[in-house]
Amino acid sequence: MPRPKIAVEPDQSAVPVAREAILQALRKRGFQVRTEEVHLPAAGLRRGPVVDAVMVRQRRQFAVEIKVARELADWLFQWLARPILVLQAAHRLEGWHPLLALYVEALDPRGVRRFKAQMALYAPGLWWLMLDSRGKVAAHLPGGDEEAIGSGPENAAARASRAWRSRTDVSRPSYSSARLSFGDLDQWLLKVLLFGRAQGAEWGGPQGPSRYLADLAKLAAVAPPLVYRWAAAMERAGYLAKAMGRVPVLQEGERLLAEWRGRYRISDNESLACAPVFGERIDVKFVAAFLDRLRHLPAAAPAVALTGHQACRLYRLKHSDARSIHLYVSGDPSALLEHLQVVPSASGTAPIVLLRPRYPRSALGGVARLDGVPVCDPLQAYLDLYHLPDRGREQAEVVEERILAAVLRQAAQAPHDR
C-alpha cells in the first residue's frame, strides 16, 4: 500500500513572502498586528509556548500561528497538531482567541472539505484561515465563514516556492529534505566552519584546515552523515557553494548572520537573575572582583563562559558603559552562587544573569581563556548582545565590524592545499 504524502514546508526563501501574504489577508479582514513572536511563560518548563503574532480585531485579541506548506497533503492535520496545541495553551494562559493561518501553494475543494471536517471534529473552538498562491481563500473567522476558490494570478510566494523546487537536487533523496534548523548541531558546525581557520585568541574551539567535509566532521567531532546533511541544508539555504568538489565555502555571510540573530534570542536560554549578596553597586570594582572569582573557580565547579558586554571588555572591544553581567553555566547555576557571591533576585532588571544554555555545544564549545577568564566565542557574544536593551545592539555591531567581518571573509575563501 503506498504511503500517503506528508505536508512539507517550502524553502525558507519562500516563507517570508508567504507569511506577509497571510498577514495582509488578515488585515483586509479587520485584524491588526499588536506584536509578533510572543513568548509565554509556563510553570515547570524551561521554555513556554511561542505564538507567531498577537492580533487585534474589534477589541478582541487573537493568538495567531502561521504555517506554510507546499500542499494540502493527507497528513497535513497531524503536522498542524503542535501549533493547534500552542494556540490552545495561549488561550488558557492569556485568554487570547486562537487563530490558525495556513498558506499552501494550491487549495483544492476536496482538501478544503477534509480540513474543515477535521477542524470541526478536533478543534471546534479554533478560528482559521487558508490562503494559496493564487489568492484562493477558505476561512472560518469571527466575521463569518468564507470560501473563494477561484483562479487568480500567481504571486511572489508561489514563484519563490517553484524556484526552490527547481533547485532541489533529486539525485540525493536522502538529503533533499534537509533544512537548516539553527539547533545546537547546526550552530556548532557553523562556528567550526567559520573559526576553524581563524587566528584570533577569542576562539578556543577546534582549529585546523578542512579541505573536505570529512575533515570538517573530524575537526568538529561530529559523525560524517550529520555533517553531509547539514551541508545539504546550508547549500539549499544558499549559504554554501561547492568549490571543485571539496569542502563548500561560505557565501551570503551577512544574510546568514541576519537569519541567525533572527532565529535566536539570549532569552531562549534558561536564566537565573541575580544580585550581589552584599548589595554592592555593579561598578568597575565589583566587575573586577567578579572576574577574579571566575579565574579561581573550584575544581568541581561546572564549566562557565562569560558573554555579553563583559566578554567584549576582554576582547578589548569596549563600546558602551553597560555593567550587566551574563554568564553561561553548564550545570545547575545555583551551585556557583556562593563562590560568585551573588543571590537570586526577583527583579526584572537584575544586573547579573546566569544562563543554562539551550544550545550547550554551541555556547560552550568555543570557549577561550582571556586574561585567565573563560569567555564565549565572539559570534556567541554577538548573538547574545544583539537583543539586549542596554545598548547591546551597538556593542554587537562593533563585534561584527572588528572581528566577525574578517572571519566571514576568510570562510568565503576556498582552503589552500597543503
Side-chain angles (χ1 to χ4, degrees), residues 19-38:
R19 286 172 62 91
E20 181 55 37
I22 284 284
L23 292 175
Q24 184 62 26
L26 289 170
R27 291 188 191 103
K28 288 181 179 179
R29 288 156 179 82
F31 293 85
Q32 296 297 322
V33 176
R34 194 192 81 183
T35 185
E36 295 189 49
E37 195 173 326
V38 180

Side-chain angles (χ1 to χ4, degrees), residues 82-99:
R82 189 177 186 281
I84 290 173
L85 290 174
V86 168
L87 290 171
Q88 291 172 341
H91 179 63
R92 290 193 304 272
L93 294 171
E94 300 291 340
W96 296 331
H97 299 280
L99 196 164

Side-chain angles (χ1 to χ4, degrees), residues 8 168 172-179 229 236:
V8 178
T168 302
R172 292 188 297 167
S174 60
Y175 297 114
S176 63
S177 62
R179 295 180 60 243
R229 186 174 182 84
R236 179 176 167 184

Side-chain angles (χ1 to χ4, degrees), residues 67 94-95 102 108 127 145 157 161 182 195 202 208 240 252 281 286 306 326-327 339 342 348 368 393 401 404 418:
K67 300 301 290 182
E94 300 291 340
L102 175 66
D108 65 89
W127 304 109
D145 289 358
S161 183
F182 287 90
F195 290 104
E202 301 88 359
L240 285 183
E252 300 285 349
R281 292 177 53 199
F286 178 86
L306 198 65
H326 293 83
L327 181 73
H339 179 80
V342 297
R393 185 165 301 187
E401 178 184 347
L404 298 183
R418 291 173 184 162

Side-chain angles (χ1 to χ4, degrees), residues 28-61:
K28 288 181 179 179
R29 288 156 179 82
F31 293 85
Q32 296 297 322
V33 176
R34 194 192 81 183
T35 185
E36 295 189 49
E37 195 173 326
V38 180
H39 295 246
L40 302 177
L45 296 179
R46 292 180 59 186
R47 190 181 185 211
V50 182
V51 296
D52 290 327
V54 175
M55 304 188 78
V56 179
R57 183 181 185 273
Q58 296 179 350
R59 298 184 180 180
R60 299 170 70 184
Q61 297 189 78

Side-chain angles (χ1 to χ4, degrees), residues 100-406:
L100 176 68
L102 175 66
Y103 186 100
V104 296
E105 290 183 34
L107 289 177
D108 65 89
R110 178 177 174 273
V112 171
R113 286 196 301 270
R114 182 174 61 243
F115 181 82
K116 280 184 175 181
Q118 290 170 325
M119 294 296 286
L121 177 62
Y122 295 108
L126 206 69
W127 304 109
W128 53 267
L129 176 139
M130 303 172 72
L131 177 70
D132 76 1
S133 61
R134 297 184 183 275
K136 300 177 183 179
V137 175
H140 170 61
L141 296 173
D145 289 358
E146 181 180 353
E147 187 170 316
I149 313 183
S151 61
E154 184 180 55
N155 68 13
R159 292 194 295 272
S161 183
R162 189 178 66 251
W164 161 68
R165 291 197 307 273
S166 68
R167 292 199 309 266
T168 302
D169 181 6
V170 296
S171 66
R172 292 188 297 167
S174 60
Y175 297 114
S176 63
S177 62
R179 295 180 60 243
L180 196 60
S181 68
F182 287 90
D184 199 17
L185 177 64
D186 287 355
Q187 292 188 36
W188 171 244
L189 288 171
L190 278 166
K191 287 184 177 181
V192 175
L193 177 71
L194 292 173
F195 290 104
R197 290 186 285 155
Q199 301 299 316
E202 301 88 359
W203 169 252
Q207 289 183 299
S210 296
R211 294 186 300 160
Y212 302 93
L213 285 175
D215 296 335
L216 181 63
K218 184 176 180 180
L219 191 65
V222 173
L226 296 178
V227 176
Y228 300 147
R229 186 174 182 84
W230 165 82
M234 286 283 286
E235 288 179 47
R236 179 176 167 184
Y239 295 133
L240 285 183
K242 287 185 176 180
M244 302 295 291
R246 296 189 177 183
V247 69
V249 295
L250 184 74
Q251 60 183 13
E252 300 285 349
E254 291 184 2
R255 182 168 68 88
L256 174 65
L257 275 187
E259 183 174 358
W260 199 339
R261 66 182 181 242
R263 295 281 208 92
Y264 169 84
R265 300 286 191 280
I266 192 171
S267 57
D268 291 345
N269 304 287
E270 183 179 343
S271 62
L272 177 65
C274 297
V277 67
F278 300 114
E280 305 102 308
R281 292 177 53 199
I282 307 297
D283 54 16
V284 174
K285 182 179 179 181
F286 178 86
V287 172
F290 188 90
L291 296 182
D292 198 51
R293 294 179 199 123
L294 291 180
R295 293 185 182 97
H296 301 94
L297 288 172
V304 301
L306 198 65
T307 188
H309 288 285
Q310 302 308 322
C312 293
R313 307 289 199 278
L314 294 167
Y315 299 150
R316 305 295 189 264
L317 294 180
K318 177 184 175 182
H319 175 73
S320 75
D321 292 324
R323 302 293 187 197
S324 61
I325 298 173
H326 293 83
L327 181 73
Y328 281 109
V329 182
S330 63
D332 182 1
S334 63
L336 284 177
L337 296 181
E338 182 177 357
H339 179 80
L340 297 177
Q341 296 185 22
V342 297
V343 292
S345 171
S347 171
T349 58
I352 304 165
V353 182
L354 305 187
L355 302 161
R356 180 182 288 176
R358 183 183 182 190
Y359 306 112
R361 193 168 193 180
S362 176
L364 299 171
V367 172
R369 295 194 76 89
L370 302 179
D371 292 346
V373 178
V375 182
C376 280
D377 65 82
L379 180 51
Q380 188 65 47
Y382 167 87
L383 294 167
D384 291 333
L385 283 161
Y386 200 83
H387 298 285
L388 289 181
D390 53 349
R391 300 183 66 187
R393 185 165 301 187
E394 294 178 38
Q395 182 66 70
E397 289 171 351
V398 173
V399 175
E400 181 179 4
E401 178 184 347
R402 299 280 296 277
I403 296 180
L404 298 183

